[in-house]
Amino acid sequence: PQSQGTCSDHPVADQMTNITTHWDPKDLLQFKGLHQQDGVVHVPGLVASETMAELLAWVDDISNASTLGRHYFESTAHGRVKARTEDFAKNHPPLHQFLTQGRVHDVLEALFGEPPVLFKEKINYKHPGAAGYAPHQDAPAYPFGSLHITMLLALDSADTSNGCLEFAKGAHHNGVIDVNADGCLPIERAAQLEWTPMPVAAGDAVFFNSFAPHRSGTNRSDRSRRALYVTYNASSEGDLRSEYYDHKKQALAEGRVSLINHFLGEDVS
């Protein structure tokens, strides 16, 4: 992976202000109920189509810079491609503001029942031919904090052909179900679960907790399936971000993308 640094000044665009308006309380109650029931909730149109261009420009800034995050790569039939970028939000003030204020903050506060704190973030690119992820729960990969909620924010549309997420809805009630040597769900346990694809349009968000089993397939299409994955913990557990990233940097071998071995592709530097 390439190392991170700091970015220059990025003024927050006025066009993004409509994203930071508050949800109707009825919407938030509906999201909370569905999330508690299924462990996952789909929030269509979190980012309006007319404001996606600004968000995508920020993502391109991060993806194309060697100093705004840590970049990881994979080998595909189309050659070496970027698989993931992580640990960039605090080096990009407008994106950090978007991820911690407004609608994103409001939904997460409703789900946690208290204010959220940013724990970690990544961009997964999943270009054509890129690999998927084995069935797993996030909790075994998060050694700090007791409960986390991740927001998947779709930057491109995703379906089963380009490797959208699939969830075992309701299985989060069981806590950590089982863990194999890779930190993932054993094949026989995963086969006992009912998996539901979660197709999304660009601008949609999916919020899921760290005990919700999920997986994704290979991108078999000619369309990239980029997504922001941003993870939070409840404010009552404190700011765990630095502790997590310090631990991850010490624990991971060069090139690996996660504390659990759920990535099904070939890591390359």
Side-chain angles (χ1 to χ4, degrees):
Q2 298 175 0
S3 62
Q4 65 180 29
T6 59
C7 75
S8 58
D9 182 45
H10 286 260
V12 178
D14 291 339
Q15 297 96 309
M16 300 298 284
T17 56
N18 68 317
I19 293 179
T20 61
T21 56
H22 291 271
W23 288 97
D24 186 301
K26 292 180 181 178
D27 291 327
L28 296 176
L29 286 173
Q30 180 185 29
F31 297 151
K32 183 175 183 178
L34 289 171
H35 189 266
Q36 289 174 335
Q37 173 183 309
D38 294 339
V40 54
V41 61
H42 179 200
V43 181
L46 182 78
V47 181
S49 58
E50 62 268 21
T51 61
M52 277 298 293
E54 187 75 17
L55 181 59
L56 290 171
W58 295 346
V59 169
D60 286 343
D61 284 347
I62 293 163
S63 176
N64 294 328
S66 61
T67 57
L68 294 183
R70 295 177 61 82
H71 301 301
Y72 299 83
F73 300 84
E74 64 178 303
S75 178
T76 74
H78 304 287
R80 177 179 179 266
V81 298
K82 194 168 291 179
R84 173 182 294 187
T85 302
E86 69 173 6
D87 193 8
F88 49 79
K90 289 194 174 180
N91 296 325
H92 197 290
L95 183 56
H96 184 269
Q97 179 176 331
F98 169 69
L99 296 175
T100 56
Q101 299 180 22
R103 288 186 174 188
V104 172
H105 175 278
D106 291 349
V107 175
L108 286 158
E109 185 169 32
L111 300 184
F112 277 118
E114 59 181 284
V117 176
L118 183 63
F119 180 70
K120 56 167 287 194
E121 72 285 331
K122 63 188 178 186
I123 304 163
N124 276 7
Y125 298 97
K126 198 173 274 196
H127 294 303
Y133 290 80
H136 66 281
Q137 297 169 284
D138 287 341
Y142 300 158
F144 307 103
S146 61
L147 176 68
H148 303 79
I149 295 176
T150 293
M151 174 185 70
L152 179 165
L153 180 56
L155 304 172
D156 302 297
S157 61
D159 53 35
T160 54
S161 70
N162 64 349
C164 70
L165 280 192
E166 301 176 16
F167 289 92
K169 293 183 178 180
H172 66 295
H173 293 298
N174 300 317
V176 175
I177 298 171
D178 201 355
V179 180
N180 63 16
D182 289 324
C184 300
L185 280 167
I187 293 173
E188 62 276 11
R189 294 293 285 119
Q192 295 170 358
L193 300 175
E194 181 178 351
W195 295 92
T196 302
M198 184 68 73
V200 289
D204 286 4
V206 178
F207 293 83
F208 57 97
N209 81 37
S210 48
F211 296 98
H214 54 287
R215 66 185 185 185
S216 67
T218 299
N219 185 348
R220 297 176 284 102
S221 76
D222 59 1
R223 300 174 291 120
S224 294
R225 190 224 72 176
R226 297 170 300 166
L228 274 166
Y229 287 82
V230 190
T231 302
Y232 302 81
N233 60 269
S235 58
S236 59
E237 297 204 273
D239 187 341
L240 306 172
R241 179 188 173 83
S242 295
E243 193 173 9
Y244 167 79
Y245 274 119
D246 288 346
H247 172 76
K248 184 172 182 178
K249 290 171 188 175
Q250 294 171 6
L252 289 190
E254 185 72 17
R256 279 191 48 196
V257 302
S258 177
L259 291 170
I260 62 173
N261 194 27
H262 61 332
F263 180 53
L264 297 174
E266 180 184 351
D267 301 316
V268 294
S269 59

